[in-house]
Amino acid sequence: DTAVSQTPKYLVTQMGNDKSIKCEQNLGHDTMYWYKQDSKKFLKIMFSYNNKELIINETVPNRFSPKSPDKAHLNLHINSLELGDSAVYFCASSQGRRGEQYFGPGTRLTVT
Amino acid sequence: SQQGEEDPQALSIQEGENATMNCSYKTSINNLQWYRQNSGRGLVHLILIRSNEREKHSGRLRVTLDTSKKSSSLLITASRAADTASYFCATVVNRDDKIIFGKGTRLHILP
């Protein structure tokens, strides 16, 4: 059984569109994250939720809006997509804010 | 500037040799974690070492932590082709429990 799953795996879209990426974890963790990994493999945290409450909100354009309907899900909605949004987006979860993280397989977003 | 910096950026060694990667950081941490990322995949957690620990082992992995020097090392003994991957260190900062990843070391094991 997949511990942390993301959909879709690949997303190709045009500039200006709005898209969503979904993430689900079945580990019973209370903390979930969104990361962006650029072409140089640099991994940067975007958001973190603990028990459905936003606890980390890095300097991310407000075109990016996370939503956590429950502790097992953390979705990422992106408005008005730009070329620079092209990257791989990873979801992760952990038990507590200091614990080891379990990553999803990633969503490769390509904006044309 | 970056909290965690891995060194070297890339490393190629022969199968069977040991591989050592280093990580330096700047602020006070609660713990330091090492992750592996195979090409096109998500990160996989390898080992977590707390700030009051100095050394930890897991199979062929050995991690050390020197909080006075703000540095950690990951040693992979008897390397195998399957160890080819990128390795990242991540620090959980004491001040706000934020986790910060380094830029990674690309390890290539030559047959």
Side-chain angles (χ1 to χ4, degrees), chain B residues 3-111:
Chain B
Q3 162 76 334
E5 296 269 357
E6 287 94 339
D7 168 58
Q9 288 187 347
L11 178 62
S12 291
I13 61 171
Q14 293 292 139
E15 194 168 10
E17 292 180 341
N18 296 342
T20 300
M21 288 158 269
N22 302 297
C23 170
S24 60
Y25 58 92
K26 292 181 168 59
T27 61
S28 173
I29 61 170
N30 174 272
N31 68 68
L32 185 146
Q33 303 174 26
W34 284 92
Y35 290 80
R36 183 187 74 232
Q37 184 180 32
N38 290 90
S39 181
R41 300 286 191 93
L43 280 73
V44 173
H45 180 263
L46 296 176
I47 204 161
L48 181 155
I49 186 165
R50 301 187 197 288
S51 60
N52 61 355
E53 297 175 310
R54 291 297 165 257
E55 189 170 312
K56 219 162 175 183
H57 297 254
S58 177
R60 293 183 298 114
L61 305 181
R62 173 177 167 253
V63 167
T64 62
L65 178 65
D66 187 336
T67 52
S68 66
K69 295 181 180 177
K70 291 188 168 55
S71 68
S72 173
S73 67
L74 170 67
L75 168 68
I76 303 174
T77 59
S79 62
R80 304 168 180 168
D83 295 329
T84 293
S86 290
Y87 291 81
F88 294 86
C89 73
T91 50
V92 176
V93 179
N94 259 335
R95 188 182 70 243
D96 52 11
D97 286 344
K98 191 181 293 184
I99 187 165
I100 303 174
F101 281 79
K103 294 182 180 178
T105 292
R106 291 189 313 280
L107 175 65
H108 185 57
I109 307 300
L110 304 167

Side-chain angles (χ1 to χ4, degrees), chain A residues 6-89:
Chain A
Q6 296 177 227
T7 54
K9 190 168 173 61
Y10 300 96
L11 185 53
V12 181
T13 188
Q14 291 184 325
M15 281 175 55
N17 285 348
D18 303 338
K19 290 292 178 187
S20 291
I21 308 171
K22 295 186 176 182
C23 177
E24 177 181 0
Q25 55 96 4
N26 62 8
L27 298 166
H29 287 164
D30 60 5
T31 307
M32 295 186 72
Y33 310 80
W34 276 111
Y35 290 90
K36 178 181 180 180
Q37 188 172 45
D38 61 25
S39 57
K40 295 182 179 177
K41 304 300 182 188
F42 178 42
L43 193 72
K44 185 166 183 196
I45 190 166
M46 300 172 70
F47 302 103
S48 175
Y49 272 73
N50 176 256
N51 286 316
K52 293 173 52 183
E53 186 179 332
L54 181 66
I55 54 170
I56 291 176
N57 184 352
E58 287 298 289
T59 309
V60 174
N62 57 15
R63 297 182 294 104
F64 291 79
S65 54
K67 276 195 172 58
S68 182
D70 54 58
K71 286 201 306 184
H73 295 84
L74 181 61
N75 303 323
L76 184 64
H77 188 76
I78 315 170
N79 288 329
S80 303
L81 278 155
E82 300 177 356
L83 291 176
D85 297 332
S86 295
V88 181
Y89 292 83

